[in-house]
Amino acid sequence: MAQKLKKIALVASLALATIFLALQAQAQDKMPAVLPANWDNVLNEARGQTVYFNAWGGDPKINAFLEWLSGVARSRYDIHLQHVKLAATSDAVARVRSEMRENERDNGSVDLLWINGENFAMMKSGNMLFGPFAEQLPNFKYVDRIGKPATLKDFTQATDGYESPWAMAQLVFEYDPQFVPTVPKNSTELLAWITKNPGRFTYPQPPDYLGTTFLKQILYEVISDRVVLQSPATQAIYEKETAKLWQWLDAAHPFMWRQGQGFPASESALAQLLADSEVAISFSFNPGRASAEISAGNLNPNIRSFVFENGTIGNVSFVAIPLNSKNKFGSLVISNLLLDPLVQARAQDPAILGFMTVLDIKSLNLEDQAAFSQLDLGVATLAPDLLGKSLLEPDVSWMSMIAQDWQKRYGVLK
Amino acid sequence: MSPVLRPISGQDQGAFMSLWSWNGLWPAIRLSLVTGLAATLIGLAMTTALFALFQGHRIFRVFLRLVAPFLAVPHATAALALTFILAPSGWIMRGVVTLFNALGIPISQTPPDFITINDPGGLALIFGLVIKEVPFLVLMCVAAWAQCDAPRRRLVASALGYGRITGFWLTIWPVLYPQLRLPIFAVLAYSMTTVDMAMILGPSLPPSLAVQISKWITLPEPLYQGMAAAAAVVQLTLVAATLLVWRFLELMGRAISRAQFQSGIRGLSLDGPIKFFGLVFGLVGFGVLIFGLLALGIWSIAGLWPYPDVLPQTYTPRVWAEAQSGVIKATQNTVILALLSTVPAVFLVLAVLQSEFLGKRTYRIQRIIYVPLLVPQITFLPGLYQLTLTAGISGQTLTVAFAHFIFVLPYVALTMGPAFRAWDIRYAMVASAMGASRKKIFWQVRLPMLLCPILISSAVGIATSVAQFLPSQLIGAGRIETLTTEAVALTSGGNRRLIGTYGLVQSLFPAIVFGLALWVPTLTYRNRRTLRAPK
């Protein structure tokens, strides 16, 4: 009896192993090392490919947008666009790194990746990216390279064509006018408001992306010479320039939400606190977010937004193609499609995403320009001319040093 | 090479140094230790009290009916349910404000700035862990119950004048506990290494070690990858050390029980107070969970729901409508993976147990299957993933099913093994004396008698598979969408509407399976009272 069962188990495991082996490495098709000059060729080669687009999947609005994009890609180019929903971009970066360590050239699982900042810097310096390709994309000519220099510079790092921009973001504060009759114009006024309204302000715990962005924003406000932020931080400069940032935080923390003894985990957790009225001022990296949430019925309709008079940090979302992507032609076509004026206009619609376009609208034909001018920005969105100056992201070194220092100073309760 | 071994192999020599210099290391270790031990002890005490005092009582039957849904709710969902009740802007405070407003008593219309959840001591986390562990431990007791001969032991104890608690502790516990030991180890290890629950309910300055590891691992700098690997080694050592501590507690418990036995104290006066406190804690704890889940259900159809409103101002089916397309495909994958991993696991465990019973050689190496329960997933999955890459089989359904199998197997083994071994061998002797063959005894006597534990362990296996996030995501190269990978990606933000929706969808399949596991034996054994689940 047991013999028989044992045999069954043995046979079963052997069968499993055989199936695994049989499923191994299929034929690998060769990919170009650089972009072919002829775009029609790219379109032909891309036909029928499945592009695995690895992008953060935490926002249903973004997911719905990518599903719509997938429909366009299919009908226009016969490309199957699959959104691989990530909880964190670094998951995909780690996957590409592992695959490349195993020498999986041209057979990787990530075809296209939503990326910027540190992850891009890591992948580019690690020779993990395909390119340069961005400037050869037919729609790249519409990108506003002069007015939006951040489309070519990602956290001070030149993109060199290894990633293609698709959306602009800028830090905006969201507030409840009931508790904030006059909005703070700078960090000094914000601090004054915080001390007068204890428990009603907080920021996501660094090293969360939005949390460190807030710290960088305050640093921009209190620093004597903003230019130093554009080069790598040396220890001496860093210590001198950040002293006022820590003073600001030391003054603010005792009057913040939970007396600075606890912080929300992420951008969405902070957003929830605003929706629950636990805080009266919050902030996000998307100027259209508050309007979009109000129109979706998730946020108090009286919420409005503001920016600092000396500007707030802005940055750009890019897409990049890993060097080991299996479907590079398809990924190129999707990168180009993301720059299509109609796609950009849809992304900017607050009812859809509320992301700001990377294109220079004046360079478009009249019909496409109309698609943008017809957009209703929503009740809580600042008009482009009220959005103020978009500040460049500081060099990556500032971000990681500040995040580490924050951890040392505030990361463990005394 | 697996990242766990990287710091040891010297690739990241600075990793341990950086870890030691992290000022949060000791608080994080202390937090993991205290919450893990406290949650397991309290959970075990509540389960024992439930069986000792209420078995046979209506309360017990009601609770047993709720066990299936409680077990099926994902940890993260349960944690968020608690959050919405307990937070300063949660249902309790909203109720208070609404009541005060109705009575005309002035009260602030903004939430108070209390620390309720995420308290630095980890009380909220312990609370959440206990609530999720008690149903699991109850289920384990149910699986073990039939082999304990409990009614007769209880009869003897009460005939000798012992109280229910003391009688249970002295007569049933000694046969029940050996069957519970492995599940308890699993609970203890889980409580110390859980990430999702600790992230939502636990403190963050610093968080528990497991949460910190999962945070470091998502940062791009190699320094943090090294620190995560080093911390994983510390975490593993910590779990192993805690299991030793538990072993010491077991010995202490035994000594106490012996002393008590010899003293002859009947302990009748214990029953009343324990009954009272057990009821209060149980009602409050599970009341909060039930109301929290109800609230999440409402959130999933809520339009605008600002503070201090007790109910939403508007309702909308939008979230459900949007979730629809993703859910169908994901449900298919989830069911396929659950079956592909659980069915082989159940057969394998049965085969091994039967061959052990027949006196065939068993290998100590078998115990290696329990390693996945003790080692944090995040520490050894990257290694497994590397292996599938080398073999060129990542991203395929069968590979993912195999990864699930690795986690399902230990749960199936630890839920089935004890009951299988505790089966009264005299049934086999009787059958054999009546001329039944070994085969017949196995298929027609033993398996039917073990129906309850087999179904329960299959249900646990399926639920385990359904809950897997990292194996599905990593080994599946992000291409095999399951309900859990969808839910984790979508809820990485903490959006209550989405969590309400996905929490319900994720719970549905396991709830059905647990329900069946508890219900089928009652149906099949309408006329075999002792084979049914306890009532």
Side-chain angles (χ1 to χ4, degrees):
Chain A
M1 177 65 242
Q3 285 295 325
K4 206 168 193 179
L5 280 173
K6 234 182 187 173
K7 252 185 221 156
I8 294 175
L10 191 71
V11 170
S13 41
L14 274 178
L16 265 176
T18 325
I19 293 167
F20 282 139
L21 289 174
L23 287 171
Q24 267 201 39
Q26 284 120 13
Q28 300 184 359
D29 32 350
K30 271 264 129 303
M31 284 299 143
V34 285
L35 191 68
N38 188 342
W39 185 252
D40 284 338
N41 229 354
V42 175
L43 289 177
N44 275 332
E45 295 280 348
R47 200 154 290 142
Q49 286 196 332
T50 302
V51 174
Y52 288 94
F53 184 11
N54 284 238
W56 184 62
D59 185 340
K61 292 198 297 284
I62 297 172
N63 298 346
F65 173 74
L66 291 180
E67 212 168 306
W68 169 82
L69 191 72
S70 168
V72 177
R74 182 170 298 213
S75 61
R76 245 199 241 179
Y77 304 113
D78 189 22
I79 291 174
H80 302 260
L81 179 65
Q82 283 280 340
H83 177 198
V84 175
K85 300 187 183 84
L86 299 176
T89 303
S90 52
D91 290 351
V93 177
R95 202 181 310 135
V96 173
R97 193 186 290 129
S98 305
E99 286 170 357
M100 295 201 37
R101 214 185 286 145
E102 285 301 320
N103 273 326
E104 278 217 11
R105 298 272 157 173
D106 299 340
N107 200 21
S109 60
V110 181
D111 290 319
L112 191 64
L113 183 58
W114 178 3
I115 197 169
N116 77 358
E118 260 181 309
N119 283 311
F120 171 70
M122 291 274 310
M123 288 191 85
K124 187 170 172 243
S125 64
N127 290 322
M128 289 154 72
L129 291 177
F130 167 79
F133 72 93
E135 283 156 45
Q136 284 98 307
L137 299 174
N139 285 336
F140 195 82
K141 60 175 177 282
Y142 303 127
V143 173
D144 191 358
R145 279 157 285 184
I146 316 274
K148 296 161 182 166
T151 51
L152 297 175
K153 268 201 162 172
D154 189 357
F155 286 59
T156 71
Q157 160 106 215
T159 62
D160 292 333
Y162 282 88
E163 55 178 359
S164 168
W166 76 278
M168 295 278 300
Q170 190 178 335
L171 189 75
V172 290
F173 292 90
E174 300 163 354
Y175 71 105
D176 187 339
Q178 204 187 328
F179 306 103
V180 192
T182 47
V183 298
K185 289 194 295 290
N186 50 47
S187 62
T188 315
E189 293 189 19
L190 178 62
L191 181 59
W193 183 87
I194 291 170
T195 40
K196 229 185 281 166
N197 298 274
R200 306 302 306 279
F201 181 84
T202 188
Y203 56 92
Q205 182 171 334
D208 171 80
Y209 182 66
L210 188 67
T212 39
T213 303
F214 175 74
L215 298 183
K216 285 184 285 185
Q217 178 65 47
I218 299 300
L219 180 62
Y220 251 121
E221 292 277 312
V222 297
I223 205 165
S224 52
D225 180 12
R226 291 179 163 197
V227 179
V228 297
L229 296 178
Q230 290 306 306
S231 19
T234 62
Q235 197 61 36
I237 294 181
Y238 170 82
E239 269 165 27
K240 179 171 154 273
E241 298 293 348
T242 53
K244 279 187 177 157
L245 167 68
W246 307 120
Q247 276 171 23
W248 193 95
L249 291 173
D250 285 337
H253 277 185
F255 299 97
M256 282 184 10
W257 182 75
R258 294 183 189 172
Q259 298 89 49
Q261 311 255 309
F263 293 86
S266 62
E267 175 164 10
S268 334
L270 179 65
Q272 188 66 58
L273 292 180
L274 182 71
D276 285 342
S277 305
E278 290 210 21
V279 298
I281 297 182
S282 132
F283 48 91
S284 96
F285 229 132
N286 173 359
R289 195 200 78 92
S291 294
E293 289 293 293
I294 290 170
S295 73
N298 297 339
L299 193 61
N300 250 327
N302 61 338
I303 300 291
R304 293 292 177 270
S305 55
F306 71 89
V307 287
F308 282 162
E309 59 184 357
N310 285 326
T312 53
I313 291 179
N315 71 24
V316 173
S317 286
F318 295 88
V319 287
I321 305 174
L323 190 57
N324 68 345
S325 154
K326 195 178 172 187
N327 303 294
K328 295 198 180 72
F329 291 110
S331 303
L332 288 168
V333 176
I334 300 296
S335 311
N336 188 53
L337 177 60
L338 280 166
L339 292 172
D340 188 292
L342 290 176
V343 174
Q344 288 279 313
R346 188 177 169 90
Q348 186 159 332
D349 186 346
I352 307 288
L353 279 187
F355 285 7
M356 293 184 297
T357 182
V358 292
L359 304 184
D360 176 8
I361 298 188
K362 289 187 293 296
S363 74
L364 307 176
N365 66 38
L366 290 177
E367 196 188 325
D368 289 342
Q369 289 193 19
F372 283 93
S373 58
Q374 280 164 5
L375 291 178
D376 175 10
L377 291 180
V379 282
T381 313
L382 297 167
D385 53 320
L386 293 178
L387 210 44
K389 200 172 153 198
S390 164
L391 305 172
L392 284 173
E393 282 279 2
D395 184 83
V396 235
S397 55
W398 289 90
M399 179 157 171
S400 53
M401 285 169 89
I402 289 174
Q404 266 179 48
D405 224 354
W406 190 96
Q407 178 60 42
K408 253 183 235 139
R409 285 166 194 266
Y410 311 111
V412 178
L413 283 181
K414 300 269 153 46
Chain B
M1 183 181 302
S2 164
V4 184
L5 298 179
R6 257 171 53 202
I8 299 175
S9 70
Q11 252 178 331
D12 294 298
Q13 287 189 334
F16 273 107
M17 298 300 284
S18 322
L19 183 65
W20 299 140
S21 67
W22 176 43
N23 53 355
L25 182 64
W26 295 109
I29 287 179
R30 192 172 53 225
L31 185 71
S32 301
L33 202 65
V34 169
T35 50
L37 274 174
T40 311
L41 278 170
I42 296 171
L44 189 60
M46 284 183 69
T47 310
T48 321
L50 181 76
F51 272 81
L53 293 172
F54 296 104
Q55 199 255 317
H57 193 280
R58 201 153 47 119
I59 291 175
F60 185 82
R61 283 197 292 273
V62 169
F63 189 81
L64 216 54
R65 261 186 222 132
L66 291 172
V67 158
F70 283 162
L71 274 168
V73 176
H75 278 82
T77 310
L80 272 145
L82 299 188
T83 305
F84 181 63
I85 301 297
L86 302 175
S89 58
W91 242 2
I92 294 179
M93 236 8 248
R94 286 170 190 239
V96 170
V97 173
T98 307
L99 184 72
F100 274 48
N101 286 345
L103 298 173
I105 305 168
I107 186 169
S108 164
Q109 297 300 302
T110 56
D113 190 18
F114 297 151
I115 297 184
T116 48
I117 45 168
N118 313 113
D119 61 298
L123 291 180
L125 176 58
I126 294 175
F127 183 71
L129 285 169
V130 168
I131 295 246
K132 271 300 285 175
E133 279 165 7
V134 167
F136 178 70
L137 288 170
V138 166
L139 189 76
M140 293 301 101
C141 283
V142 167
W145 197 248
Q147 326 300 330
C148 285
D149 200 8
R152 292 199 302 170
R153 286 171 190 267
R154 175 167 287 154
L155 206 63
V156 170
S158 64
L160 290 172
Y162 283 95
R164 292 216 22 153
I165 286 279
T166 318
F168 185 89
W169 170 246
L170 291 179
T171 61
I172 299 175
W173 187 248
V175 274
L176 184 63
Y177 185 76
Q179 297 191 59
L180 287 186
R181 178 185 280 132
L182 278 177
I184 289 170
F185 279 9
V187 163
L188 184 57
Y190 181 87
S191 307
M192 293 178 68
T193 58
T194 176
V195 172
D196 42 7
M197 216 168 207
M199 201 120 74
I200 297 164
L201 293 173
S204 63
L205 301 173
S208 69
L209 197 56
V211 172
Q212 189 62 55
I213 292 174
S214 71
K215 282 188 173 170
W216 279 334
I217 225 152
T218 57
L219 295 175
E221 291 101 327
L223 166 74
Y224 291 113
Q225 305 290 318
M227 282 174 80
V233 175
V234 173
Q235 171 94 69
L236 178 59
T237 320
L238 189 66
V239 171
T242 315
L243 293 183
L244 281 178
V245 171
W246 190 265
R247 187 83 192 103
F248 174 73
L249 291 177
E250 277 179 8
L251 293 175
M252 255 173 53
R254 190 158 76 185
I256 292 171
S257 142
R258 283 217 175 118
Q260 201 179 3
F261 205 64
Q262 280 159 8
S263 71
I265 296 168
R266 276 8 184 200
L268 275 167
S269 56
L270 275 178
D271 290 1
I274 292 185
K275 205 169 201 166
F276 176 74
F277 284 111
L279 264 183
V280 170
F281 283 129
L283 283 181
V284 169
F286 289 97
V288 168
L289 180 60
I290 289 170
F291 277 102
L293 292 174
L294 179 69
L296 281 186
I298 299 177
W299 268 108
S300 77
I301 49 166
L304 189 62
W305 193 0
Y307 184 88
D309 293 359
V310 175
L311 286 172
Q313 295 179 357
T314 53
Y315 294 89
T316 162
R318 185 173 46 88
V319 181
W320 283 95
E322 280 170 4
Q324 213 176 6
S325 64
V327 160
I328 294 170
K329 178 85 190 126
T331 307
Q332 269 175 18
N333 283 338
T334 304
V335 173
I336 290 172
L337 287 173
L339 295 178
L340 277 180
S341 54
T342 304
V343 173
V346 169
F347 275 100
L348 187 65
V349 169
L350 274 177
V352 169
L353 286 171
Q354 177 68 4
S355 95
E356 174 194 284
F357 170 72
L358 292 177
K360 296 283 162 15
R361 255 183 96 180
T362 51
Y363 298 91
R364 290 191 145 226
I365 190 88
Q366 274 176 11
R367 293 188 193 164
I368 202 166
I369 64 165
Y370 293 111
V371 168
L373 296 187
L374 306 183
V375 189
Q377 278 195 349
I378 193 92
T379 61
F380 86 98
L381 271 171
L384 188 65
Y385 172 58
Q386 203 73 49
L387 196 70
T388 63
L389 281 178
T390 315
I393 52 172
S394 79
Q396 290 159 7
T397 309
L398 268 181
T399 319
V400 179
F402 180 70
H404 280 205
F405 173 80
I406 292 174
F407 293 94
V408 167
L409 187 63
Y411 275 102
V412 170
L414 72 84
T415 48
M416 186 139 61
F420 193 95
R421 295 198 182 101
W423 182 67
D424 194 335
I425 193 176
R426 286 177 298 180
Y427 289 107
M429 286 152 87
V430 172
S432 159
M434 286 156 73
S437 68
R438 267 187 185 174
K439 198 169 162 183
K440 198 167 179 183
I441 294 172
F442 179 75
W443 291 107
Q444 297 196 356
V445 181
R446 190 163 202 171
L447 281 192
M449 287 189 71
L450 292 170
L451 184 67
C452 180
I454 289 173
L455 286 174
I456 285 178
S457 67
S458 308
V460 171
I462 286 172
T464 308
S465 165
V466 171
Q468 295 304 317
F469 169 67
L470 271 180
S472 319
Q473 213 260 357
L474 203 57
I475 313 283
R479 292 184 180 182
I480 315 269
E481 285 185 350
T482 69
L483 286 174
T484 300
T485 60
E486 286 280 286
V488 171
L490 271 168
T491 55
S492 57
N495 179 326
R496 281 189 203 130
R497 292 174 178 84
L498 282 170
I499 286 165
T501 309
Y502 270 85
L504 288 176
V505 174
Q506 264 181 294
S507 312
L508 196 63
F509 178 42
I512 292 171
V513 179
F514 278 119
L516 281 178
L518 289 170
W519 176 65
V520 166
T522 326
L523 194 76
T524 320
Y525 296 126
R526 210 176 280 282
N527 53 355
R528 304 266 190 290
R529 191 161 54 103
T530 55
L531 294 181
R532 288 187 223 151
K535 285 211 162 203

